[in-house]
Amino acid sequence: MLLAVLLDAWLGEPRRLHPLVLFGRLAAWAESRWHADRRSAGVLAWCAVVLPLVALAWLLRAWLGPLHLALDVLVLYLVIGLRSLGDHALPVARALAAGDILGARTAVGRMVSRDTAALDDAQVAAAATESVLENGNDAVFGALFWFLVLGAPGAVLYRLANTLDAMWGYRTERYERFGWAAARIDDVLNFLPARLTAMSYLLLGDAARAWRCWRVQAPQWDSPNAGPVMAAGAGALGVCLGGAAPYDGVWEPRPVLGEGDAPDGQSIVRALQLVRRCVVLWLVVITLLGVVRWGAGHA
């Protein structure tokens, strides 16, 4: 895990032929071929594109024997996106600091699905901060958790499921039934990682405020996993997020997350720093648990 995190910090995401981009193309092809307004169609499509790749990772790991460490490092490097969070979020913060609202809107549009043309400075900062906190779980801690549980196949399973949720897991006419499996499977896989992420934010931020926001505000959020992550993260930072946001030209009401100051460019930077500190915390705790286990095995 440490080697993969260091490799991500050094190289960042592959700029050409990223496996997740290729998987996205495969998923788009599968949808065009097998889409139907039935839950069963979505289940079959999900299984067809995810399970063979998970099985391939498992078979490769078994075939490599002691050399599976190289596969583990490579797979985990490819599925985590810690450096990518900064690559996307920091341009938003810099544009806001320079008073370049048009540049900030353009940059945050690469991070979120909401309309950005009408966002003011605080709303742009809120969108980017929310994205950093939520993707701390989706792009980093969720992958680390399932890698810890199942090795490279677990990391592949989690990241592919998360990608399909982002592509199919919408409550629209096209995806209400077809995308049901993608959304529910992602919810199940994220249940424990999301709460561990929220707890990490709590421990390394304003703990009392993070716990209060988590307990009171998270149940009001549509997503059972994004709610705890973003509520605890906003509380830990002492910033007010959430609220109405524009999608497809309509301002949709959303609950408030966190409490405290209105977000600004510095809120984005602080959110990114929080995620990075939590990664260090996870690596330290996992290393200590590994040492204890090793010691018990040699006692």
Side-chain angles (χ1 to χ4, degrees):
M1 291 174 69
L2 176 60
L3 289 173
V5 170
L6 291 175
L7 197 61
D8 173 71
W10 178 35
L11 298 177
E13 291 186 337
R15 302 192 184 279
R16 291 186 178 181
L17 299 178
H18 193 300
L20 290 178
V21 174
L22 298 177
F23 175 75
R25 294 174 183 171
L26 172 65
W29 173 85
E31 180 193 354
S32 68
R33 186 176 180 86
W34 296 320
H35 181 277
D37 193 23
R38 300 190 306 271
R39 288 183 175 182
S40 59
V43 172
L44 291 174
W46 190 97
C47 291
V49 297
V50 172
L51 296 186
L53 295 175
V54 175
L56 177 62
W58 182 80
L59 290 171
L60 282 174
R61 199 171 190 271
W63 178 69
L64 287 171
L67 297 178
H68 72 265
L69 172 63
L71 177 68
D72 286 347
V73 173
L74 177 63
V75 167
L76 187 57
Y77 155 66
L78 290 172
V79 301
I80 61 174
L82 180 58
R83 175 169 164 176
S84 179
L85 278 182
D87 290 344
H88 285 83
L90 290 177
V92 185
R94 287 193 288 264
L96 288 174
D100 179 10
I101 185 59
L102 294 179
R105 289 170 179 164
T106 299
V108 81
R110 303 187 185 104
M111 301 180 67
V112 299
S113 59
R114 72 193 69 173
D115 303 333
T116 61
L119 300 183
D120 62 23
D121 289 31
Q123 291 163 340
V124 167
T129 304
E130 291 171 18
S131 181
V132 169
L133 293 174
E134 184 175 9
N135 282 292
N137 176 72
D138 292 351
V140 182
F141 298 113
L144 292 177
F145 175 86
W146 283 107
F147 177 83
L148 184 66
V149 173
L150 297 175
V156 171
L157 170 65
Y158 173 79
R159 202 67 173 96
L160 299 188
N162 186 253
T163 301
L164 285 185
D165 176 59
M167 296 180 68
W168 298 349
Y170 295 101
R171 294 178 181 175
T172 62
E173 183 177 352
R174 180 172 179 82
Y175 295 112
E176 181 71 29
R177 293 180 178 84
F178 180 80
W180 173 84
R184 297 292 79 77
I185 292 170
D186 183 72
D187 285 345
V188 171
L189 292 177
N190 262 315
F191 185 84
L192 286 176
R195 281 144 187 85
L196 290 173
T197 301
M199 181 61 68
S200 302
Y201 291 164
L202 180 152
L203 291 173
L204 296 183
D206 186 330
R209 186 179 303 192
W211 171 243
R212 182 168 61 250
C213 294
W214 180 356
R215 179 170 50 85
V216 174
Q217 298 171 344
Q220 303 172 21
W221 204 254
D222 286 343
S223 169
N225 296 318
V229 168
M230 292 198 293
L237 295 172
V239 68
C240 189
L241 303 175
Y247 295 90
D248 298 322
V250 177
W251 282 83
E252 297 183 5
R254 303 183 310 159
V256 172
L257 294 171
E259 55 185 47
D261 300 328
D264 56 17
Q266 194 58 31
S267 303
I268 305 170
V269 176
R270 291 172 56 227
L272 186 61
Q273 291 171 341
L274 178 63
V275 171
R276 288 170 173 169
R277 292 200 306 271
C278 289
V279 169
V280 173
L281 173 65
W282 277 48
L283 291 175
V284 168
V285 169
I286 291 167
T287 300
L288 291 176
L289 291 175
V291 169
V292 170
R293 182 181 177 184
W294 181 86
H298 288 77

